[in-house]
Amino acid sequence: MIVVTGATGNVGRPLVEILAARGEDVTAVSRGEAELPPGVAHRTADFTRPETLDAAFAGADRLFLLTLDHSLDIAAILKAADAAGIGRIVFLSSERAVTRPSEEAQAFENAVTASGIEWTILRPGGFASNAVAWAAETIRARREMVMPFGDVGLPLIDPRDIAEVAAAALTEDGHTGRAYLLTGPALVTPRQQAEAIGAAIGEPVAFTEQTREAAFEQLLQYWPAQIVEGSLDVIGSPNRAELHVSPEVERLLGRPATSFAQWAERNAAAFR
C-alpha cells in the first residue's frame, strides 16, 4: 500500500489520481476531509501531532512524504514510518535545498537519507500553479494579473509532472538513492504568464507589477513567512542554478515537461 501525505495539495492530489488510475492500493492522508477517486482510502493525520501517524501509516510499504514546515519533528515522522514497516520513501523537497541551502532544509533531507529506509528525493523549482494563489482572484474579477518581478523568468514546473515522477519513483525500480532536480521546459516571466492565461481563457489579461512588500503580505495567506521570504528571493533574484532548465522530467517520463501555456490551458477554469 502507498500512503500519500499532503493528499489535497497541488502535487498530492494528482499523485493520488495517477496511482489510483494505475490500480495501486492508495491511502490518502490529510489533516481534513478530502474528495478522492473511487477506491482510495482516506486517513486523517497531523504532522504536528506525531501520535496520529501510526494509524495513518499502518499497513503501508511505501510513502510519499511532503512537508514544507521545517519546524516539524522530522525524526518522529520517520520513526513512525519505520515502525509501520514502510520500506520506500519519496520525499518532496525543493531545489532551494541545493541552490540556496539552509540548515533546516538540509537537516530534513539528511534525516531522510539517514533513516535506513530506501529513499528518493524530488527537488522541484517554482510551481506553475502558484499563479492561482498569486492572481486567480484579480484575473477573475478584472482580467488583471498582479505579481512582482514582471520580467524575471524561471523554469516553472507543472505540479502534475512532479506527481508523475513521484509515481514512477514509488512504483518502479531504479530510483533508490537518487535526488532529482525537476523544472519546466523553459523560462517564463510573470508578464508571459499573464499572456498565456489570457490565451487560455480567450480574453486579454493585463499585467501590473507588484511590490515585494505587497507580495509578501499576500503569500503569508498560504505559506509560512520563512517559505515566503525564500520564494521571493528566488523569483526576484534567481541565481544561475535556479535558471537552469533540467532535463530530468523528460528523461524520467519519456516526454517533454509540460509548458506553462499547457498548464494554463488545463487550468483555465480557475481564472474564468
Side-chain angles (χ1 to χ4, degrees):
M1 181 181 76
I2 301 173
V3 163
V4 176
T5 63
T8 60
N10 288 319
V11 177
R13 184 184 302 110
L15 176 56
V16 168
E17 294 171 355
I18 291 165
L19 292 172
R22 295 181 184 180
E24 297 286 346
D25 182 7
V26 187
T27 293
V29 172
S30 63
R31 285 182 294 179
E33 296 300 317
E35 293 185 13
L36 301 167
V40 174
H42 179 255
R43 296 173 182 171
T44 57
D46 188 337
F47 283 150
T48 65
R49 299 171 56 218
E51 68 273 12
T52 66
L53 298 179
D54 290 343
F57 293 166
D61 58 359
R62 287 158 289 171
L63 170 67
F64 176 72
L65 179 59
L66 183 160
T67 174
L68 294 175
D69 186 353
H70 290 143
S71 69
L72 293 171
D73 186 353
I74 187 67
I77 297 170
L78 294 170
K79 181 179 179 181
D82 186 53
I86 288 170
R88 181 183 299 187
I89 291 176
V90 175
F91 176 57
L92 186 64
S93 183
S94 166
E95 69 170 4
R96 294 202 298 274
V98 290
T99 64
R100 298 178 188 241
S102 68
E103 182 177 342
E104 295 84 2
Q106 289 182 318
F108 267 44
E109 287 198 0
N110 290 342
V112 171
T113 60
S115 66
I117 302 171
E118 290 185 3
W119 57 266
T120 305
I121 293 176
L122 308 184
R123 295 173 178 151
F127 288 15
S129 57
N130 288 344
V132 175
W134 281 109
E137 184 176 347
T138 58
I139 291 174
R140 289 194 301 264
R142 57 182 186 271
R143 295 296 184 252
E144 179 187 23
M145 186 175 206
V146 181
M147 289 183 68
F149 317 118
D151 297 305
V152 179
L154 288 169
L156 302 178
I157 186 167
D158 183 339
R160 189 172 182 87
D161 285 357
I162 304 170
E164 289 193 30
V165 171
L170 286 163
T171 61
E172 300 171 2
D173 294 330
H175 301 285
T176 299
R178 304 289 183 87
Y180 297 130
L181 175 65
L182 306 177
T183 73
L187 304 182
V188 58
T189 69
R191 202 177 303 275
Q192 291 168 332
Q193 292 178 48
E195 293 173 1
I197 293 169
I201 65 176
E203 295 184 42
V205 173
F207 179 80
T208 299
E209 188 149 350
Q210 187 180 36
T211 67
R212 180 185 173 114
E213 292 74 21
F216 179 85
E217 292 301 323
Q218 180 178 344
L219 291 184
L220 280 180
Q221 302 174 61
Y222 307 102
W223 301 327
Q226 183 180 20
I227 298 295
V228 174
E229 285 285 4
S231 297
L232 290 173
D233 288 343
V234 171
I235 67 174
S237 301
N239 59 38
R240 185 172 181 178
E242 290 154 353
L243 295 171
H244 173 67
V245 175
S246 170
E248 292 284 36
V249 170
E250 184 166 5
R251 184 181 71 81
L252 292 165
L253 301 183
R255 61 162 178 81
T258 305
S259 70
F260 184 87
Q262 291 170 321
W263 173 86
E265 288 179 7
R266 199 178 74 243
N267 292 276
F271 302 99
R272 289 200 169 102

